[in-house]
Amino acid sequence: METEGTRTDRLGLLLDQFDKAREMARVRLTGLGDEEYLWEPAPGCWSIRRRGEAATPRAFGPGEWVLDLGEADIPASEYAEVGRQAAGGMSVAKIADDWSVSVERVEQILAHTGAPEPDETPVTTIAWRLAHLHFHFAGGWEWTFGERRREPKLLVDFTPSAALALERFWALIDRWRDSVAAVTEEQLDTVGFSQYPYGSDPDDPFVAVLSGANLEFIHHMAEIALLRDLRRELAG
């Protein structure tokens, strides 16, 4: 359905939202150079690093450069999502497996009744944010439209070159968008249409997965835009 050129069907709304976010992100990433891409705005940043220089215990990647990843935990900003998973019938063991934490940790969060704990998500570089999105969408495509067998953490060869990273990233995003545009109404409602192993995708209808992917894209691109603004202001 269209109203004066605006689609109002579910897939149309999600595609239009994604297209607008993608357009804004391309503009905001124009001119990104290697120094800014790897700029660390605070001590202890997460970034991409050479394998032998990784600053975190679970850094991953198939090549010379790996993406920082700390000890497994669930950030406070995701407690509500854990609650929704439990309310939707997901077992504590499955939730723990999805988040790579212990059953005891999930039970602790579900029993949490006080004020939310501070979110201790680390400060990151632009390189980390972009690489995180690349890994997320590469895995999402593989486990929805691809062969559904390759480990997502081995799909992206991270690079210290901003230009190369962006070239590879936009090619992937365009492939994701083209594949999503061909999804049928039946597939939108299919639980487990995406089998992406890191998260609740196998237990969700695909329309919910798409909504979450849009939010992931918007969230991280907003963080990247903020980092670019901050660096420009600090540089005077």
Side-chain angles (χ1 to χ4, degrees):
M1 177 180 177
E2 292 191 9
T3 302
E4 297 182 357
T6 300
R7 290 180 60 175
T8 58
D9 60 290
R10 293 180 301 167
L11 182 58
L13 285 170
L14 289 169
L15 284 173
D16 286 351
Q17 181 187 55
F18 188 76
D19 288 346
K20 184 62 177 178
R22 180 177 57 168
E23 176 186 344
M24 294 170 66
R26 281 185 178 274
V27 172
R28 292 296 264 133
L29 282 164
T30 299
L32 181 67
D34 296 349
E35 183 179 351
E36 183 181 8
Y37 173 67
L38 294 168
W39 173 60
E40 299 192 20
C45 279
W46 284 8
S47 188
I48 61 168
R49 305 183 190 281
R50 285 188 172 86
R51 183 171 298 277
E53 301 171 0
T56 48
R58 297 194 298 147
F60 65 88
E64 178 185 0
W65 290 77
V66 294
L67 181 67
D68 275 327
L69 184 64
E71 295 289 358
D73 198 3
I74 303 175
S77 59
E78 299 289 351
Y79 287 2
E81 174 61 21
V82 172
R84 284 192 290 270
Q85 288 178 327
M90 190 180 296
S91 70
V92 171
K94 180 62 168 61
I95 295 171
D97 182 61
D98 281 345
W99 291 95
S100 299
V101 299
S102 68
V103 168
E104 290 74 20
R105 179 59 176 145
V106 173
E107 291 174 340
Q108 180 185 36
I109 290 171
L110 292 174
H112 185 76
T113 56
E117 298 175 9
D119 192 345
E120 298 181 354
T121 301
V123 176
T124 72
T125 63
I126 292 173
W128 190 92
R129 293 282 172 182
L130 191 63
H132 175 85
L133 276 178
H134 199 160
F135 146 71
H136 174 83
F137 278 92
W141 191 93
E142 163 67 16
W143 286 84
T144 305
F145 306 108
E147 297 178 354
R148 297 185 176 188
R149 65 177 180 83
R150 293 187 294 169
E151 165 56 56
K153 291 181 179 179
L154 300 178
L155 291 176
V156 180
D157 187 11
F158 304 117
T159 173
S161 166
L164 182 57
L166 286 171
E167 178 185 347
R168 293 171 174 174
F169 177 72
W170 291 124
L172 167 69
I173 289 302
D174 289 345
R175 181 176 67 168
W176 168 263
R177 201 276 183 198
D178 290 344
S179 296
V180 168
V183 169
T184 66
E185 283 292 312
E186 180 181 1
Q187 289 167 334
L188 282 178
D189 291 321
T190 299
V191 174
F193 183 67
S194 169
Q195 289 292 311
Y196 182 66
Y198 299 121
S200 60
D201 289 22
D203 302 298
D204 293 337
F206 190 56
V207 67
V209 174
L210 284 182
S211 177
N214 282 9
L215 289 174
E216 186 80 356
F217 185 89
I218 292 167
H219 158 58
H220 285 287
M221 283 301 176
E223 296 279 0
I224 289 172
L226 178 60
L227 286 168
R228 297 205 74 183
D229 291 343
L230 177 63
R231 188 174 188 276
R232 183 185 67 244
E233 290 301 315
L234 290 176

